[in-house]
Amino acid sequence: MVGSVLPGRPGNLTADQEVKLQELWTATLRVFGVQAPDQPEDANGLQSASGTATPEPKATKKKQSMFRRQKDEDESKTAADQEDKYGQSKAFQQVLATQNPENLRKAFWSMVKHDHPDGLLLRFLRARKWDVHNALVMLVATMNWRMQEVHVDDDIMKKGEAQAMQETSNSNATVKKEAQDFLAQLKLGKSFLHGTDKEGRPMCFVRVRLHRQGEQSETSLERYTVYTIETARLLLASHVDTAAIVFDMTGFSMANMDYGPVKFMIKCFEANYPESLGVVLVHKSPWIFHSIWNIIKGWLDPVVAKKIHFTKNIEELEQFIDKSHIIKELGGDDPWEYSYVEPNVDENQIMSDENTTNRLLEERAKVVKEYESATQAWISDSQNRKALQEKRNDLAERLRAGYWQLDPYVRARSLYDRTGMIRGSEGGVIQYYGKPETPNAPKPLIASPHNGPLPTEHRADDVD
């Protein structure tokens, strides 16, 4: 159905899923130090929406042979290892023991940006098959990753391209090299964001032939990867909440193969950006890639692996992307070509306006507190739950609109801001096609302030 909300998203939850969301909000707010006074904590820090502790499933006692018992234990360990292959359970315990709850809370609301807060939590629930504790572990580990390990919002997105441009003249050789390597990938167009597939999902094209192992440092590769993913997140919306990635394998050779960045990208999507991939298209891969794919496939979560499709020609690519949206470089009709526009000297000058920045942050903090209070009421007051949900949705919309007012004060401008694709001043409208500065340019493909085209349909791959 046109414009329909996918299952497991805000506005389309079963009764059981809504309870799971309430339980995760209860546990999350407690971790953030926003515990409701009338909700006692259980031993695991989890609680059901009704206010009682969520019971742990009881094991059924059976007489088993030593061999059967050992087999069951081995299978259990294998399943647990697969579920936590990035060590997030250990990270979760360390974070709770060492991190200030308020810092985790700030990291969460910083990640929300223009997203619906429920939508963000639901990503973690779907990724962990609606297991509340595992979703909480993943969420907290992700907040720590963003805040302590890669510094997404206070470094990568805050400094952006303009700061890197300045650092190419830095007297410190290491700083200078990292900046040069980061910008080199943007100038090459190693990857870029452009257009939408048949489902309205924003597309990221990766030209694999432009990568050569050792040309850029590992740090700059990882910074560039996170920068691209975070920028792509700005293109997502409640009705189009996943992206498409097209790996253009034209001209691929073994000189382009580099397992390190591949592993890092997989970890990002599986551990820190759950439920963000709608489809991955590997286009025109040569025969030498087949053995490489067998290795990579072994690293992937089965759910992610099912979203990967191989296309050999334009006809197969058209199964996923309208020909009018396939760039000419790949044999389509879209004449658009990638060209890097360098930062303007003063494009981030507004970020130095501390008074306005602080005012907008304070306004957002007030709405956040209102949302948290409304969420606690929504959990505890079953009689008025519908009205409270409407209030939460209104507050979520205020957060979305407020984010786009705040955005230019906390995020450095990107290529996509300079070219007019991301139009924050218009409430987050995204214009994929046509030039904004041209009077006769076509209207924005996405006229909704929720920045995303309404999909004509959805693939089953998007529903987990």
Side-chain angles (χ1 to χ4, degrees), residues 38-54:
D38 59 341
Q39 293 178 335
E41 183 177 355
D42 75 329
N44 295 312
L46 294 176
Q47 183 179 52
S48 70
S50 62
T52 58
T54 304

Side-chain angles (χ1 to χ4, degrees), residues 430-447:
I430 305 299
Q431 180 166 319
Y432 292 108
Y433 304 100
K435 296 181 179 179
E437 67 273 16
T438 303
N440 297 322
K443 293 180 180 180
L445 182 66
I446 305 170

